[in-house]
Amino acid sequence: MTRNPSHDILFEPVRIGPVTAPNRFYQVPHCTGMGWMRPRTLAAMRGVKAEGGWGVVCTEYNSIHPTSDDLPHPSASLWDVSDVRAHALMTEAVHEHGALAGAELWYGGARTPNMMTRLPPMDLGSVPNLAGHPYQTRAMDKSDIRQFRHWHKRAALRARDAGFDIVYVYATHGYLISNFLNPRINTRGDEYGGSLENRVRLVRELIDETKDAVGDRCAVAVRFAADEEGDRDGHPVWGERREMFAMLAELPDLWDINIADYSLEMGVSRFVKEGALEPYMTWVKSVTTKPVVTVGRFTSPDTMAAQVRRGIVDFIGAARPSIADPFLPRKIAEGRLGAIRECIGCNVCYSGDSLGVPIRCTQNPTMGEEWRRGWHPERIAPQGSAAHVLVVGAGPAGLEAARALGARGYRVTLAEATRELGGRVLREAALPGLREYIRVRDYREQALRDMPNVGIFRESRLTAQDVLDVGADHVAIATGAHWRKDVFDGEVFYPVAKGAAEAHILTPDDIMAGRLPDGPTVVYDGDGYYMGGVVAERLRAAGLDVTLATPDDSLSRWAGHTAERWRVRRHLQGLGVRFEPAREIAGFDGRAVVLPCAYGGAELTLPATHLVMVSARRPEDGLYQDLRALAGPLPFSLTRIGDCEAPAIIAAAVHAGHRYAQELDAPVDPDLPMKHDRIDVGAPVGAAETRGEPT
């Protein structure tokens, strides 16, 4: 295949101060849940992106000093020479493939809890901790500002020594430097506050000092918000931003532009579509001659090329698309557009940072596994035998298992009980806002079409005897799960209705199958993720009176980890859905639902003709159990994968399918199935850790 000439513009080199990016594909800084705790894991992951064609690969934000400690988020740091050595693993991996490496210098201010270092964080004033802890900051005086500038410069020097090509001044996202710019926050009476010129002073000083320190070898970038206020859904409130930007426009070597509303900048596909930041970018390029990058969950090369051609940006910024497909640039370069694993915008990747764990991806099961398991997004070990593998069920686990097994060269038979492939993603993609989830199916179905060694049999609901008759050497059962009608109280499942009333209890499976209530309905969400909200929205679209109740203190509790909880609540409120948090469920008689307060007190009785339970799921493992019950040894290996084994999120099902394929006929130590990236306490420490500090 050859590249579409209209995409050639994406592969032009771009000068950034003293360095040159080989193309316009720019992986912006994004957190990984790896940071200083897992440097080998992080280096391997970033290196794969450079191998995949990203011209610039940045690491996550780097704390510049122990007074900006972000635990339990194990983000990167540049505190001492040991950090330099750790980062060198990443920069070497990136440089090996001809890409530039970027480092973002970070000081969180009131957004840092400092729970590890126990040092008081600094901000403009003594304000409450914005990470939700019962602490306050120390108000900065001018000596503190001088100290901060010193720390920033030393961190920049460490970044240079670690091999980074681009060093950031991070002036957005509500962290310390952005607070100096904010007219609502910065009311200081000295030369660093009050007037616009004074509020810009610190950023100007940091740019100048960073360029003085490392500018002969490193480009200096600034991350900056194009708008003054958030929460406007694509309707920018500029405030002083254009004027402020103009004062600084020519000082750095590159501008990395974002917006005030992080839930829009990092929005899930349910609410935010590709290129959503363009309305905010209309004036930026007219004010500066320096290269500009922004994000937009870009997956279409036509959209990317149009952004550059129309003068919106110079670089195509990406975090999530580079996670879903680290080889996206190379596939565009080679004209293999059908092979791109398009991001679905579910933000499971972001949940890793929120939870302080290594990053995951629904589309890319190798994400985070590059070092510890040796997985690669585009290469996989050849088959370990001439075996024939039967995969039963073509949901996310079964599809990924069949695709990866086919890529290894195995003869694969994929049997699906229904006419359409996709399982849960096919059904869920029909719910409000989840259309892009179908990409999980589409990518794998396309890949399977190109594999002559994989046979797909639709409308093939297999019995145990059918499985035996196939004559496979290995059998993987991926028959999924279905939603339950009962509720889990932390110890056991119990019914919420008896007799005729039970027929009026529905599940998300019923709603996805088109079976809708015909009167006032309570949706009881014990799941806490997206399903309760999208079911409530579907019922409101049908004109029903809907109440969304949950035992949690907050609606869509777990969706806070994917940066969508606030949008879910605002969206449903706008639709007229009633909310009842902190409610247990005591019973349903077909006419009303009884909802006691989770903390005791009065019960709430809501009239309802139907109850939709979004509680838990039951593995559909009947075929697996039937096969295990057969007399005598089975003539094949038998394995459950995905929701059939343990119901979870779609990303877990895809990962399970991929792991099955990777480990088939491969030596895996069941006692230690992966390498651990952790500090070796036997390694020498002490004076050697602090010698060689930059000056």
Side-chain angles (χ1 to χ4, degrees):
M1 297 181 181
T2 58
R3 181 168 77 222
N4 186 329
S6 69
H7 301 153
D8 288 351
I9 195 171
L10 299 173
F11 296 91
E12 296 173 345
V14 181
R15 188 80 177 169
I16 314 172
V19 298
T20 300
N23 57 43
R24 298 182 186 272
F25 293 94
Y26 194 113
Q27 183 247 276
V28 298
H30 73 78
C31 291
T32 63
M34 302 170 186
W36 61 265
M37 287 183 71
R38 302 175 180 90
R40 296 173 183 84
T41 304
L42 186 145
M45 182 271 288
R46 302 289 190 195
V48 165
K49 291 189 183 187
E51 182 189 353
W54 294 90
V56 178
V57 179
C58 296
T59 189
E60 55 216 78
Y61 65 46
N62 291 264
S63 168
I64 65 170
H65 189 265
T67 53
S68 186
D69 156 33
D70 204 25
L71 276 182
H73 310 290
S75 304
S77 59
L78 277 165
W79 293 357
D80 59 21
V81 71
S82 68
D83 286 326
V84 173
R85 292 194 293 269
H87 281 297
L89 299 176
M90 179 262 186
T91 59
E92 290 166 5
V94 170
H95 291 157
E96 182 181 349
H97 301 285
L100 302 178
E104 184 177 60
L105 308 187
W106 170 78
Y107 195 92
R111 296 187 180 274
T112 51
N114 292 359
M115 297 179 72
M116 180 179 74
T117 65
R118 300 176 71 176
L119 297 172
M122 298 189 301
D123 212 303
L124 275 77
S126 183
V127 298
N129 179 260
L130 297 178
H133 302 284
Y135 312 133
Q136 290 189 204
T137 56
R138 188 183 91 214
M140 297 177 75
D141 58 26
K142 284 197 286 187
S143 67
D144 292 322
I145 294 174
R146 289 193 295 273
Q147 186 71 66
F148 168 74
R149 290 163 56 191
H150 170 73
W151 295 337
H152 196 277
K153 177 181 177 179
R154 289 180 66 82
L157 290 165
R158 294 185 195 110
R160 178 202 64 189
D161 293 350
F164 285 105
D165 308 286
I166 303 171
V167 178
Y168 270 76
V169 175
Y170 191 6
T172 187
H173 287 144
Y175 299 125
L176 176 67
I177 301 173
S178 68
N179 289 345
F180 275 85
L181 299 174
N182 191 320
R184 295 186 64 210
I185 298 174
N186 188 355
T187 58
R188 298 174 66 101
D190 59 18
E191 65 266 37
Y192 286 97
S195 71
L196 177 59
E197 183 176 352
N198 284 352
R199 284 184 278 115
V200 170
R201 187 181 306 278
L202 179 61
V203 176
R204 182 188 297 275
E205 290 174 341
L206 292 173
I207 296 171
D208 289 341
E209 291 164 0
T210 305
K211 295 194 81 168
D212 287 344
V214 303
D216 59 329
R217 218 177 74 191
C218 305
V220 175
V222 176
R223 214 169 196 184
F224 183 86
D227 64 329
E228 193 78 49
E229 298 178 17
D231 309 343
R232 300 288 180 168
D233 286 340
H235 303 289
V237 178
W238 307 121
E240 304 171 321
R241 283 287 149 164
R242 181 164 180 159
E243 186 179 359
M244 187 182 294
F245 185 85
M247 297 170 69
L248 303 168
E250 298 301 307
L251 295 183
D253 299 308
L254 177 137
W255 286 98
D256 184 338
I257 302 297
N258 58 23
I259 61 173
D261 183 359
Y262 195 66
S263 72
L264 180 59
E265 177 191 343
M266 184 65 184
V268 295
S269 58
R270 182 177 170 190
F271 302 114
V272 181
K273 305 307 177 186
E274 183 178 17
L277 269 61
E278 182 170 340
Y280 296 82
M281 299 293 298
T282 53
W283 57 266
V284 175
K285 283 287 292 172
S286 68
V287 182
T288 182
T289 64
K290 301 301 176 75
V292 171
V293 61
T294 196
V295 296
R297 201 166 53 82
F298 296 109
T299 59
S300 165
D302 293 335
T303 300
M304 299 177 197
Q307 287 262 320
V308 177
R309 209 172 279 115
R310 291 187 289 111
I312 305 298
V313 293
D314 299 287
F315 286 101
I316 300 301
R320 291 172 291 175
S322 74
I323 296 165
D325 198 336
F327 275 64
L328 183 149
R330 183 173 289 189
K331 290 174 181 178
I332 297 172
E334 297 170 353
R336 298 188 295 122
L337 304 187
I340 294 173
R341 280 187 302 276
E342 293 184 285
C343 173
I344 69 170
C346 66
N347 279 10
V348 162
C349 54
Y350 182 72
S351 74
D353 173 55
S354 175
L355 294 164
V357 300
I359 195 169
R360 301 167 289 175
C361 178
T362 299
Q363 278 283 61
N364 177 13
T366 70
M367 177 52 52
E369 305 286 11
E370 299 88 350
W371 182 84
R372 70 174 189 170
R373 283 193 165 97
W375 294 356
H376 190 278
E378 299 299 314
R379 297 192 298 272
I380 193 168
Q383 63 195 93
S385 70
H388 173 205
V389 187
L390 170 64
V391 179
V392 184
L399 282 171
E400 176 60 20
R403 185 206 65 81
L405 288 165
R408 292 189 66 188
Y410 285 98
R411 181 163 69 93
V412 180
T413 297
L414 176 62
E416 166 56 35
T418 67
R419 182 64 188 165
E420 297 293 327
L421 308 182
R424 65 178 289 188
V425 294
L426 176 67
R427 298 188 296 273
E428 291 185 17
L431 291 170
L434 303 186
R435 178 175 57 85
E436 292 182 50
Y437 281 30
I438 201 62
R439 293 175 173 179
V440 175
R441 191 273 311 269
D442 291 350
Y443 163 73
R444 289 160 179 83
E445 187 174 24
Q446 176 63 46
L448 292 171
R449 291 196 190 105
D450 299 330
M451 294 180 179
N453 53 321
V454 179
I456 301 175
F457 295 85
R458 305 167 190 261
E459 298 180 305
S460 299
R461 188 177 298 276
L462 303 186
T463 64
Q465 186 59 52
D466 294 331
V467 172
L468 289 169
D469 292 343
V470 170
D473 301 294
H474 305 282
V475 176
I477 307 296
T479 43
H482 284 90
W483 289 93
R484 304 175 63 119
K485 289 188 174 183
D486 48 12
V487 68
F488 186 64
D489 66 359
E491 295 180 339
V492 298
F493 290 97
Y494 66 90
V496 296
K498 298 179 181 179
E502 190 175 356
H504 291 259
I505 297 179
L506 305 178
T507 71
D509 292 319
D510 295 313
I511 305 304
M512 290 185 283
R515 184 186 171 195
L516 301 182
D518 57 7
T521 301
V522 173
V523 178
Y524 190 76
D525 184 11
D527 177 60
Y529 194 15
Y530 59 83
M531 185 58 71
V534 295
V535 166
E537 182 175 352
R538 174 69 182 90
L539 299 183
R540 279 297 294 153
L544 299 176
D545 181 6
V546 179
T547 298
L548 181 59
T550 177
D552 298 319
D553 290 342
S554 170
L555 300 175
S556 302
R557 171 190 53 80
W558 204 86
H561 298 302
T562 52
E564 61 188 300
R565 181 175 60 193
W566 176 85
R567 284 191 170 269
V568 168
R569 290 185 289 190
R570 191 180 74 165
H571 181 65
L572 293 179
Q573 185 178 43
L575 296 176
V577 175
R578 176 177 175 177
F579 302 151
E580 289 293 343
R583 292 288 179 183
E584 296 175 344
I585 185 165
F588 172 59
D589 62 3
R591 298 181 302 275
V593 179
V594 179
L595 301 169
C597 174
Y599 304 108
E603 293 181 340
L604 175 67
T605 300
L606 293 178
T609 62
H610 288 82
L611 171 66
V612 181
M613 290 297 297
V614 187
S615 174
R617 289 181 293 150
R618 189 189 309 273
E620 292 295 330
D621 63 351
L623 178 59
Y624 173 82
Q625 299 298 346
D626 290 346
L627 288 164
R628 290 197 45 163
L630 294 175
L634 294 172
F636 46 75
S637 71
L638 178 65
T639 308
R640 290 175 293 181
I641 58 175
D643 288 346
C644 173
E645 180 184 25
I649 60 177
I650 299 171
V654 174
H655 186 273
H658 192 82
R659 181 163 60 87
Y660 174 79
Q662 286 271 12
E663 295 180 353
L664 188 70
D665 292 330
V668 177
D669 183 355
D671 295 328
L672 193 65
M674 66 193 78
K675 293 186 289 185
H676 285 194
D677 190 8
R678 58 189 179 190
I679 296 171
D680 182 355
V681 297
V685 296
E689 293 293 308
T690 56
R691 286 198 299 267
E693 280 284 313
T695 58

